[in-house]
Amino acid sequence: MKISVVVPMYNEEGIAHQFFERMEGVRKIFLERFNVKREEFEVLFVNDGSSDRTFDILKKISEEYIGYSLINLSRNHGHQITITAGIDLAKGDTVAVIDGDLQDPPETIADLYAKHLEGFDVVYAVRKKREGETFFKLFTAKLFYRILKKLTNVNIPVDTGDFRIMSRRVVNVLTSMKERHRFIRGMISWIGFPQTGLEYERHERFSGETKYTLSKMIKFAFDGITSFSAVPLRLASYLGVLTAFIGFLYTLEIIYVKLFTDTIIQGWASIVIIVLILGGVQLIALGMIGEYLGRVHDETKHRPLYIIENVYQKDV
Ligand code: UDP
Ligand code: MG
């Protein structure tokens, strides 16, 4: 198998068939440009517990056409785990990952592949311009990547998603990384080998709407930061040193006022403020520790990452 394309699908009934048709076009491009034949090119749809007709549509396609498989998960597992299931089962020498909502044009996979053949183990697609996304999403995404870059020592490229192509040796390392809270783009950066980006235009969703709600995005951001950086934990010690130092200065001032002036020190307001602020800081630090502890707790259970209901493909 020369190439596997992994496609996560969650409630994409309005897109699934269109996606398949575009993929047929991509197969033609691969045959003409790289002489990759139909049987050397597999598409792995991963159905993430959709509650609409996505499963039926993908099952029908996969049972009818050679070169398509449907990995059906037992329930909704989330985007990153869904991708993981697909990558684990991919047989290709190179593995591409692309969202199933047609925001990432499937034809770009051919350009990624061409770049990969130049000797890069990973070619990630860099968003040139993002149509149809709110200012808020663009802004928060930018901010997040900048913060992440500051906090971690892995260099996670800005403006990239999981749309990319990778070599077998990268995939083999990735499948050996069994952590539960997965931030795949970061994990791949961490693996190393020659990696490069390729610009492309990201389009509007073809149909349906984004499944990344604000709360999911916040959770995802936390996963990204906690799995690559212990800086937030250290923040508590820094804050502790800082407040102790400020307390020390304030003590000096009070001693001075008491000894050398006639001012009577009024305490109530300042004490309440200090208690509230310190209480807040302590709770935030505790919460930070809790975030990490919760993740450790999840890891120690050693549950499987995902549960596959069945794999559907054409009988041959
Ligand atoms: N997706 C998934 N499981 C989920 C949510 C999303 O498999 O729980 C899939 C979804 O079908 C799509 C891709 O992941 O193919 C990206 O999701 P979405 O387009 O909602 O994210 P966005 O592009 O807005 O970041
Ligand atoms: Mg999308």
Side-chain angles (χ1 to χ4, degrees):
M1 192 68 68
K2 284 224 171 96
I3 172 163
S4 309
V5 178
V6 172
V7 196
M9 289 274 194
Y10 175 56
N11 290 353
E12 307 285 12
E13 64 178 0
I15 299 180
H17 203 268
Q18 178 81 11
F19 188 92
F20 158 72
E21 281 163 13
R22 291 275 289 274
M23 219 52 226
E24 284 295 286
V26 176
R27 279 181 190 282
K28 277 206 193 81
I29 298 175
F30 266 81
L31 183 63
E32 285 158 15
R33 260 178 92 174
F34 310 108
N35 197 25
V36 171
K37 299 184 184 66
R38 193 174 183 88
E39 59 278 12
E40 297 170 322
F41 187 121
E42 66 170 355
V43 176
L44 300 167
F45 293 120
V46 191
N47 176 36
D48 188 16
S50 303
S51 53
D52 63 2
R53 286 175 44 250
T54 305
F55 169 74
D56 302 318
I57 298 169
L58 294 177
K59 180 168 178 275
K60 191 159 179 288
I61 293 170
S62 303
E63 289 181 337
E64 204 167 315
Y65 295 89
I66 295 174
Y68 291 85
S69 313
L70 168 61
I71 301 162
N72 191 36
L73 300 184
S74 64
R75 57 166 169 81
N76 183 258
H77 282 68
H79 181 218
Q80 299 286 297
I81 297 285
T82 306
I83 293 176
T84 305
I87 295 175
D88 284 354
L89 267 71
K91 294 189 282 289
D93 300 327
T94 41
V95 177
V97 176
I98 182 170
D99 282 353
D101 60 2
L102 291 177
Q103 271 188 294
D104 307 328
E107 297 75 24
T108 309
I109 298 174
D111 301 326
L112 297 177
Y113 191 70
K115 194 87 189 157
H116 165 67
L117 293 181
E118 288 174 21
F120 294 98
D121 281 81
V122 177
V123 186
Y124 46 84
V126 183
R127 295 160 188 169
K128 199 156 49 184
K129 118 180 161 218
R130 296 168 85 174
E131 286 173 20
E133 286 190 13
T134 59
F135 171 77
F136 179 74
K137 181 150 187 176
L138 289 184
F139 178 75
T140 47
K142 269 232 159 60
L143 186 72
F144 169 65
Y145 281 110
R146 300 278 133 78
I147 293 177
L148 202 60
K149 212 168 187 166
K150 283 264 177 324
L151 288 185
T152 61
N153 36 20
V154 266
N155 198 2
I156 299 166
V158 180
D159 287 337
T160 57
D162 293 308
F163 186 22
R164 57 188 61 215
I165 201 164
M166 2 174 207
S167 65
R168 179 41 60 185
R169 58 178 181 174
V170 168
V171 170
N172 286 346
V173 179
L174 189 64
T175 50
S176 74
M177 295 163 77
K178 295 292 183 201
E179 60 215 68
R180 316 195 58 79
H181 295 273
R182 302 175 83 76
F183 184 66
I184 293 176
R185 56 199 80 163
M187 292 162 72
I188 293 174
S189 295
W190 180 86
I191 292 171
F193 295 120
Q195 308 203 356
T196 191
L198 190 76
E199 284 206 330
Y200 78 110
E201 266 171 43
R202 195 164 208 238
H203 296 284
E204 265 178 66
R205 246 176 177 284
F206 182 75
S207 135
E209 54 189 38
T210 178
K211 274 97 200 172
Y212 267 97
T213 53
L214 183 64
S215 66
K216 268 197 198 171
M217 262 161 59
I218 292 173
K219 186 191 162 290
F220 187 54
F222 263 110
D223 282 345
I225 290 170
T226 51
S227 47
F228 287 94
S229 169
V231 172
L233 284 177
R234 252 173 272 141
L235 224 57
S237 351
Y238 295 150
L239 276 175
V241 171
L242 187 73
T243 40
F245 182 67
I246 293 173
F248 174 70
L249 290 183
Y250 193 50
T251 314
L252 288 184
E253 195 209 324
I254 289 174
I255 291 174
Y256 173 82
V257 171
K258 185 95 190 150
L259 291 183
F260 302 106
T261 67
D262 296 330
T263 321
I264 296 164
I265 301 172
Q266 299 246 322
W268 193 82
S270 50
I271 287 178
V272 168
I273 290 172
I274 290 170
V275 166
L276 285 180
I277 292 180
L278 276 187
V281 169
Q282 281 174 354
L283 286 180
I284 291 173
L286 261 185
M288 219 57 115
I289 298 171
E291 282 289 332
Y292 283 86
L293 191 63
R295 283 169 168 76
V296 172
H297 176 238
D298 271 351
E299 296 293 346
T300 52
K301 286 187 277 194
H302 294 298
R303 290 187 185 165
L305 280 180
Y306 49 82
I307 301 148
I308 294 175
E309 182 265 328
N310 206 350
V311 178
Y312 301 87
Q313 52 197 174
K314 189 180 163 99
D315 301 318
V316 275

